[in-house]
Amino acid sequence: MYCEKCGADNSETAAFCRKCGAAIAEEETRVAARPPTENEQRMTENAAESGESEKEIFTISPTLKFVKAGYIGAAVAALMLVALTSALLSNYVSPWLAVLLGLLLFLVPAFYHIRQKFVRYTLTESKLEIDSGFVSRTTRNVPIRRIQDVTVSATPWQRLLGIGDLVIDNASDDGGKTVLKNIDAPKSHADELLEQMRRLER
């Protein structure tokens, strides 16, 4: 640190100049920040508005309870197939072939498992998105302001498993209905959708 009076070099912690004894005033360092350009400011505002309007309330997929039951059924059927083949057809069918046939039974629940994972229902603050499709992907958007009625429908078997369908009537030109099939806790998700509808009406 240099003395402003005589120019002598002093240590950074010195309060007085070692040569002339003058008090050393510590200067503040000011860093000028570059103001954002108009384009940067616009991008920031758009990102903030987009993030606020598209905040996710919930994202769900059809229940996997049926798929899990299918895996259990396939496992039981595979064990029975291997046991019966080994007991009755051991002279005609090798044990390895019986095991391979048993494993092929798992392809059925695996197919439905993959298909279920490619269906997704997402509720944001402004719309309900329905994404579906395995090879080709389809996204359908239902604005919340156009939704007229929300109904929870459940068969006796669905009620036993704690699942159901969410039937949504929307004010489209064709008067169509959107059905969220076989979802867990349908009543709670219906309440969340109705609550968001009430927020938009205020």
Side-chain angles (χ1 to χ4, degrees):
M1 182 181 298
Y2 293 94
C3 176
E4 293 181 355
K5 188 173 182 179
C6 66
D9 187 13
N10 297 275
S11 64
E12 296 292 335
T13 58
F16 299 94
C17 177
R18 62 179 177 82
K19 185 176 181 181
C20 66
I24 299 176
E26 185 175 347
E27 297 183 355
E28 295 182 356
T29 303
R30 294 180 176 86
V31 179
R34 179 180 65 86
T37 63
E38 183 178 350
N39 186 37
E40 291 175 342
Q41 188 173 0
R42 188 183 304 111
M43 290 176 62
T44 303
E45 292 175 356
N46 292 338
E49 292 177 359
S50 175
E52 182 180 355
S53 61
E54 296 303 320
K55 179 181 177 181
E56 289 187 5
I57 298 175
F58 67 72
T59 298
I60 55 176
S61 295
T63 184
L64 294 178
K65 292 180 179 178
F66 295 118
V67 174
K68 293 176 182 178
Y71 280 121
I72 295 174
V76 173
L79 291 175
M80 293 179 61
L81 177 63
V82 172
L84 291 174
T85 302
S86 300
L88 303 177
L89 302 175
S90 58
N91 295 331
Y92 305 99
V93 180
S94 66
W96 291 111
L97 181 59
V99 172
L100 179 61
L101 292 175
L103 292 176
L104 290 177
L105 294 176
F106 286 91
L107 292 178
V108 177
F111 168 76
Y112 285 99
H113 190 179
I114 295 174
R115 193 176 72 170
Q116 296 281 75
K117 296 296 288 185
F118 279 90
V119 177
R120 186 174 68 247
Y121 309 122
T122 303
L123 176 66
T124 68
E125 291 184 338
S126 61
K127 64 182 180 295
L128 177 67
E129 295 181 358
I130 299 97
D131 292 328
S132 60
F134 179 58
V135 178
S136 60
R137 195 74 173 165
T138 302
T139 301
R140 182 186 176 194
N141 295 316
V142 180
I144 294 180
R145 293 186 182 275
R146 298 179 65 88
I147 296 177
Q148 294 178 321
D149 185 48
V150 179
T151 306
V152 176
S153 175
T155 64
W157 285 108
Q158 286 178 321
R159 291 179 60 187
L160 189 64
L161 295 174
I163 63 176
D165 300 335
L166 206 58
V167 183
I168 299 170
D169 292 325
N170 59 81
S172 59
D173 295 334
D174 56 357
K177 291 185 178 181
T178 302
V179 182
L180 280 57
K181 297 182 178 179
N182 295 325
I183 61 174
D184 293 308
K187 181 66 168 57
S188 63
H189 291 103
D191 291 340
E192 289 182 281
L193 176 54
L194 291 171
E195 177 62 26
Q196 185 60 28
M197 291 171 60
R198 284 191 288 268
R199 289 174 185 167
L200 294 180
E201 290 176 356
R202 295 171 185 170

